[in-house]
Amino acid sequence: AHGTGSVCPSCGGPTLAPQAERALVLELAKQQILEGLHLTSRPRITHPPPQAALTRALRRLQPGSVAPGNGEEVISFATVTDSTSACSSLLTFHLSTPWSHHLYQARLWLHVLPTRPGTLYLRIFRWGPSRRRQGSLTLLAEHHITHLGWHALTLPSSGLRGEESGVLKLQLDCGPLGGNGTVIGQPRQLLDTAGHQQPFLELKIQANEPGAGRARRR
Amino acid sequence: TPTCGPATPLCCRRDHYIDFRELGWRDWILQPEGYQLNYCSGECPLHLAGSPGIAASFHSAVFSLLKANNRWPASTSCCVPTARRPLSLLYLDRNGNVVKTDVPDMVVEACGCS
């Protein structure tokens, strides 16, 4: 308004020309959205997920609002590296927001291929945070897969915390469940990563610590 | 709050829909396709300034403070938002992750004179 020589229209001053007002409103909208999302500029998406994978992932999420208290839900698609020496896969996730400390729910969605008849025994490990020594693996969860296709596997949120680099690596090891409960796996591809069946991680993040607002008000 | 008509001089809510295509942002904001960015405009004559019930907004508090400190032109009152609601957004972040979040105070629902 200063630039055009008029005063703020909200304060009863002369109104802007329609073209100028429209430009101002669009600029305000941009600023409002970026500010609301705590971004300094719009993100440049260099590797957008395939449309079909995106649609499939969004359909699998629970509808409705996000968590109360400025929560966020994040879907992160995995980059999958199959191991040729064992029935295992390495999943790498690149996360942008400082999610780690406020994570309260995590689910890993996998599309499991038909490897062999019977129950499949799946173990999910996490590669240690980068500050620790290389090669440290922590067992996060164990699941029995009784049918093929999509599975939503719950991961302990406490086991995923502590990562500050934004890169999360999970290793999946699988094999048929033997009579004594031991894994007797043979080399076999576990995940279907072609045909837009890309695995993804569903994270629920609370922006504020529980009770933080109440403590501030007191 | 009255919605602004073509010749409404007094403080009112101007309804304005922003399509994210207009911003060139449809490639990273997945849902919704746009939102109702309403804003407040119009005159606030003296008898409407600081009317009960509309002085409770953050904006009103700021304007009152400015007036109290003589940093604001005398007898000027502004038409400001007095009620807002959040907007749910689904967008892609720079790593191609999908983020679903509620952004507070995005949609102006009511206006009033400070």
Side-chain angles (χ1 to χ4, degrees):
Chain A
H2 279 298
T4 57
S6 61
V7 295
C8 173
S10 291
C11 299
T15 52
L16 297 168
Q19 212 49 20
E21 185 168 348
R22 181 156 192 78
L24 181 68
V25 169
L26 288 179
E27 191 53 40
L28 278 174
K30 284 183 179 180
Q31 286 180 21
Q32 187 185 27
I33 294 165
L34 292 176
E35 199 174 306
L37 297 176
H38 310 292
L39 299 173
T40 49
S41 61
R42 55 147 297 166
R44 300 283 165 196
I45 319 294
T46 49
H47 300 291
Q51 189 63 42
L54 191 61
T55 309
R56 217 175 273 271
L58 293 176
R59 280 195 192 133
R60 297 195 177 276
L61 296 181
Q62 290 165 353
S65 187
V66 292
N70 293 337
E72 271 187 4
E73 275 181 44
V74 178
I75 298 172
S76 184
F77 291 95
T79 309
V80 183
T81 314
D82 281 317
S83 169
T84 52
S85 60
C87 176
S88 70
S89 297
L90 179 68
L91 310 183
T92 307
F93 301 92
H94 294 271
L95 296 149
S96 310
T97 50
W99 56 278
S100 172
H101 298 294
H102 308 301
L103 178 70
Y104 70 96
Q105 193 178 320
R107 284 197 300 180
L108 179 63
W109 289 78
L110 301 173
H111 191 262
V112 179
L113 280 173
T115 50
R116 70 196 73 204
T119 301
L120 196 70
Y121 180 65
L122 184 68
R123 293 194 296 174
I124 304 168
F125 296 91
R126 178 198 172 183
W127 282 90
S130 50
R131 62 182 170 209
R132 291 189 195 163
R133 68 181 174 84
Q134 289 295 311
S136 98
L137 276 175
T138 310
L139 179 65
L140 279 184
E142 297 172 287
H143 290 276
H144 292 169
I145 306 288
T146 54
H147 62 278
L148 309 168
W150 279 103
H151 289 80
L153 310 177
T154 301
L155 302 180
S157 53
S158 57
L160 293 174
R161 292 189 190 127
E163 182 57 72
E164 288 162 14
S165 69
V167 179
L168 177 69
K169 290 185 177 182
L170 300 179
Q171 184 166 316
L172 309 184
D173 287 346
C174 75
L177 191 64
N180 58 0
T182 55
V183 178
I184 46 170
Q186 292 294 317
R188 199 68 69 100
Q189 193 186 356
L190 167 68
L191 300 175
D192 181 8
T193 53
H196 312 302
Q197 310 284 24
Q198 203 172 353
F200 63 92
L201 196 59
E202 179 194 354
L203 303 170
K204 294 192 177 181
I205 298 159
Q206 193 123 34
N208 299 319
E209 294 280 8
R214 196 175 300 159
R216 266 200 304 277
R217 279 198 295 277
R218 264 205 303 275
Chain B
T1 305
T3 305
C4 299
T8 314
L10 294 181
C11 179
C12 56
R13 189 189 71 210
R14 199 165 289 276
D15 292 347
H16 190 99
Y17 182 77
I18 295 282
D19 191 318
F20 291 135
R21 266 178 299 221
E22 284 181 275
L23 305 181
W25 282 7
R26 280 293 282 145
D27 61 328
W28 71 280
I29 298 184
L30 305 174
Q31 283 291 333
E33 292 178 0
Y35 79 112
Q36 199 70 37
L37 177 141
N38 305 328
Y39 58 99
C40 305
S41 72
E43 294 167 18
C44 280
L46 273 178
H47 68 280
L48 283 179
S51 302
I54 56 176
S57 78
F58 169 74
H59 292 79
S60 304
V62 172
F63 288 132
S64 301
L65 202 64
L66 285 167
K67 283 177 188 172
N69 288 293
N70 295 322
R71 303 289 293 266
W72 199 257
S75 47
T76 302
S77 172
C78 288
C79 180
V80 294
T82 54
R84 296 167 181 252
R85 65 179 163 84
L87 177 74
S88 285
L89 279 178
L90 198 66
Y91 68 96
L92 289 173
D93 70 14
R94 63 190 153 87
N95 287 317
N97 300 315
V98 183
V99 183
K100 180 174 154 188
T101 189
D102 284 346
V103 186
D105 300 333
M106 284 287 281
V107 179
V108 172
E109 289 204 303
C111 301
C113 293
S114 61

